[in-house]
Amino acid sequence: MKQEKNIPYKIYLEESEMPKAWYNLRADMKKKPAPLLNPETLEPMTAEELGAVFCEELVKQELDTETAYFPIPQEIQDFYKMYRPSPLVRAYCLEEKLQTPAKIYYKFEGNNTSGSHKLNSAIAQAYYAKNQGLKGVTTETGAGQWGTALSMACAYLGLDCKVYMVKVSYEQKPFRREVMRTYGAEVTPSPSETTAIGRKILEEHPGTTGSLGCAISEAVEAATSKEGYRYVLGSVLNQVMLHQSIIGLETKAALDKYGITPDVIIGCAGGGSNLGGLIAPFMGEQLRGEKNYQFIAVEPASCPSLTRGKYAYDFCDTGKVTPLAKMYTLGSGFIPSANHAGGLRYHGMSSTLSELYDQGLLEARSVEQTAVFEAAKMFAQVEGILPAPESSHAIRVAIDEAMKCKETGEEKTIVFGLTGTGYFDMVAYEKFNNGEMTDYIPTDEDLAQGFAGIPKFEGNEID
Ligand SMILES: *Cc1c(COP(=O)(O)O)cnc(C)c1O
């Protein structure tokens, strides 16, 4: 391994250098992301309306487009110390393998039991629920990382935690389920008979293996029909992106410490929270006219919300119980093909990232899952870490960009977000290793079905 003088393999921050406030990127956006709308009145959601579903402080964070910095409460800073700062790693071994002149760094968020960045927001959301005197929170989980993260945070603070887990994951990932139960959470496969919306979905689609959208509908219903509970969400919302800014703030502090300026910043995008958090402080500099970066969102070709979706107001869930969010969307009824194993299955995208994408400040690429797993396998073999399939979308494009540098001879500095580990994704890895993994790219007709479900009202036309 050839190491550059003065650039360590891993860049850590001292405890005293850790961020003390989250950064709200919206404060620096001239054109703000569109507000959430009440689907009945089509008026912006008020704090009071949102307060029926979400915790008070989180509603304030959600609606605040002006305050640039939110101090991180001391209890949350203390919790962060258990697993942060996360390392910023120079991928010397990957560079050598690729024989690229590019300098590659990754910010590794998988060093906690939940195995992903989701704990950064879970602890914040659980903290505000606890502070409000609530008994517990409800949520949905797909692959299981969010449910695990929230279970850990709730156990730490002594809050009750009810998780609706997408049925296909519940069955494919029994160990994820057991981790959550070990942390004291109640885990229900979704759709379930325990909610009215779950029963309705089961009646209309008997035998369905569920989707994130269905699970969200159930978790929202469970929260609003029970005294002392609120709903919490692990991605998409502005508040989540705010908490995840810790990723970008640490990354920037670490790079600044060594005088490194990235050229390209890459992240995988499901609902957009890790990518939004990673790029936030860098995008802030760009919006203020201080610096210029290339930002790339990577999504699965089988769930291509940015690259092929419509920019419109849509429901955040299949059951259409949530407010309307303006975002790049495939339609709330869109369910990715059954062969899709790589995560990032959400039909929409954070409204902040959607707005940045619409303004041309963020690029998007879609990649096929076999190419993603090829990148994952190479990365695991040379860098040692077994990456989550989601994270491997970012690895794929980081490798592609590094290979471009090999052709052009450019010594670009590439930073990507390695959001988590893949220990619970071995069914997908097994498929790949057996040569049984296939790619499915939805046809325009497939997508048209999803688009047909986007609500129609004046000002929300889609082409
Ligand atoms: C949830 C998750 C993602 C995608 O969520 P975003 O909100 O888009 O960040 C990516 N990687 C891992 C490991 C995850 O658990």
Side-chain angles (χ1 to χ4, degrees):
M1 185 175 89
K2 255 199 249 126
Q3 200 170 334
E4 248 183 275
K5 236 193 258 159
N6 307 328
I7 307 284
Y9 180 75
K10 277 184 190 159
I11 305 179
Y12 277 107
L13 297 175
E14 301 295 329
E15 226 172 86
S16 60
E17 296 169 315
M18 281 175 64
K20 307 248 176 326
W22 292 302
Y23 168 60
N24 181 13
L25 178 59
R26 290 169 294 167
D28 280 311
M29 290 172 72
K30 281 190 203 83
K31 184 164 178 246
K32 310 285 182 193
L36 294 168
L37 296 187
N38 179 321
E40 270 151 40
T41 61
L42 300 180
E43 294 295 321
M45 291 290 292
T46 62
E48 202 184 341
E49 288 170 321
L50 286 169
V53 178
F54 297 109
C55 307
E56 255 164 57
E57 269 311 302
L58 294 167
V59 168
K60 279 190 203 149
Q61 296 179 352
E62 190 62 34
L63 296 177
D64 191 331
T65 59
E66 303 300 330
T67 308
Y69 287 94
F70 285 82
I72 305 173
Q74 190 57 48
E75 282 100 322
I76 301 177
Q77 288 192 41
D78 289 344
F79 186 85
Y80 279 165
K81 283 179 199 163
M82 295 201 303
Y83 69 101
R84 309 199 69 83
S86 72
L88 181 71
V89 185
R90 174 74 181 267
Y92 284 116
C93 302
L94 181 63
E95 289 171 19
E96 197 159 287
K97 169 86 178 169
L98 299 174
Q99 290 292 302
T100 173
K103 300 173 166 68
I104 309 173
Y105 294 84
Y106 58 90
K107 178 73 168 164
F108 181 45
E109 291 291 320
N111 253 341
N112 67 77
T113 297
S114 79
S116 82
H117 64 284
K118 295 213 170 62
L119 195 54
N120 302 333
S121 184
I123 186 60
Q125 297 194 43
Y127 169 83
Y128 291 117
K130 175 85 180 176
N131 246 19
Q132 197 179 322
L134 297 174
K135 281 187 217 138
V137 289
T138 72
T139 198
E140 79 294 333
T141 196
Q145 287 96 328
W146 169 243
T148 310
L150 190 68
S151 307
M152 291 173 70
C154 286
Y156 181 77
L157 295 167
L159 271 180
D160 189 30
C161 178
K162 295 187 193 308
V163 180
Y164 286 84
M165 185 172 189
V166 178
K167 193 179 276 168
V168 59
S169 306
Y170 184 90
E171 285 161 3
Q172 279 185 359
K173 301 183 177 181
F175 293 158
R176 268 275 180 221
R177 183 182 76 209
E178 285 321 309
V179 178
M180 286 185 253
R181 293 181 60 212
T182 303
Y183 281 98
E186 177 191 298
V187 188
T188 309
S190 165
S192 77
E193 298 281 348
T194 66
T195 63
I197 190 74
R199 290 190 290 273
K200 182 158 171 271
I201 292 169
L202 282 172
E203 210 173 279
E204 286 168 7
H205 308 276
T208 175
T209 53
S211 70
L212 263 188
C214 296
I216 295 176
S217 314
E218 288 206 89
V220 171
E221 183 183 323
T224 49
S225 58
K226 235 176 144 74
E227 181 72 31
Y229 283 77
R230 290 292 186 282
Y231 168 70
V232 295
L233 179 60
S235 181
V236 188
L237 296 175
N238 293 314
Q239 54 188 273
V240 183
M241 194 172 136
L242 174 72
H243 307 145
Q244 295 298 356
S245 68
I246 188 85
I247 304 173
L249 292 164
E250 279 185 13
T251 302
K252 188 155 186 328
L255 290 172
D256 285 350
K257 208 167 151 174
Y258 287 88
I260 303 160
T261 306
D263 298 294
V264 191
I265 304 175
I266 302 167
C268 64
S273 73
N274 89 80
L275 175 67
L278 173 65
I279 68 175
F282 302 96
M283 183 65 87
E285 290 182 305
Q286 180 141 332
L287 291 170
R288 296 189 301 269
E290 297 163 11
K291 288 244 173 72
N292 252 310
Y293 303 101
Q294 182 183 14
F295 301 101
I296 310 176
V298 192
E299 61 185 14
S302 54
C303 192
S305 44
L306 284 173
T307 50
R308 293 175 71 197
K310 305 287 185 193
Y311 193 31
Y313 268 106
D314 196 8
F315 287 97
C316 302
D317 68 320
T318 316
K320 305 190 174 182
V321 300
T322 62
L324 297 172
K326 185 161 184 196
M327 56 185 175
Y328 277 85
T329 177
L330 298 167
S332 62
F334 179 84
I335 296 181
S337 117
N339 82 339
H340 174 68
L344 310 174
R345 307 170 63 91
Y346 190 61
H347 69 273
M349 185 58 62
S350 134
S351 57
T352 300
L353 288 188
S354 291
E355 181 55 35
L356 293 169
Y357 181 62
D358 194 56
Q359 292 179 25
L361 292 159
L362 170 70
E363 290 172 35
R365 306 248 175 100
S366 72
V367 289
E368 293 171 36
Q369 64 178 356
T370 48
V372 167
F373 277 82
E374 274 162 23
K377 194 162 177 167
M378 179 200 280
F379 185 83
Q381 289 181 5
V382 298
E383 287 289 327
I385 295 169
L386 180 81
E390 292 90 342
S391 324
S392 306
H393 288 73
I395 300 176
R396 173 74 269 164
V397 170
I399 291 176
D400 292 347
E401 288 299 305
M403 293 310 284
K404 273 188 213 160
C405 290
K406 190 173 171 176
E407 278 167 31
T408 61
E410 283 173 288
E411 292 184 23
K412 280 188 185 172
T413 296
I414 298 170
V415 174
F416 73 90
L418 187 70
T419 50
T421 47
Y423 303 118
F424 291 99
D425 300 286
M426 296 327 287
V427 173
Y429 272 98
E430 182 184 30
K431 253 193 180 167
F432 176 74
N433 289 329
N434 287 344
E436 290 160 2
M437 182 171 276
T438 54
D439 292 318
Y440 181 77
I441 302 181
T443 62
D444 288 344
E445 291 74 49
D446 293 337
L447 294 186
Q449 281 181 26
F451 295 148
I454 295 174
K456 293 176 184 65
F457 57 88
E458 209 188 313
N460 204 44
E461 290 77 19
I462 50 163
D463 307 333

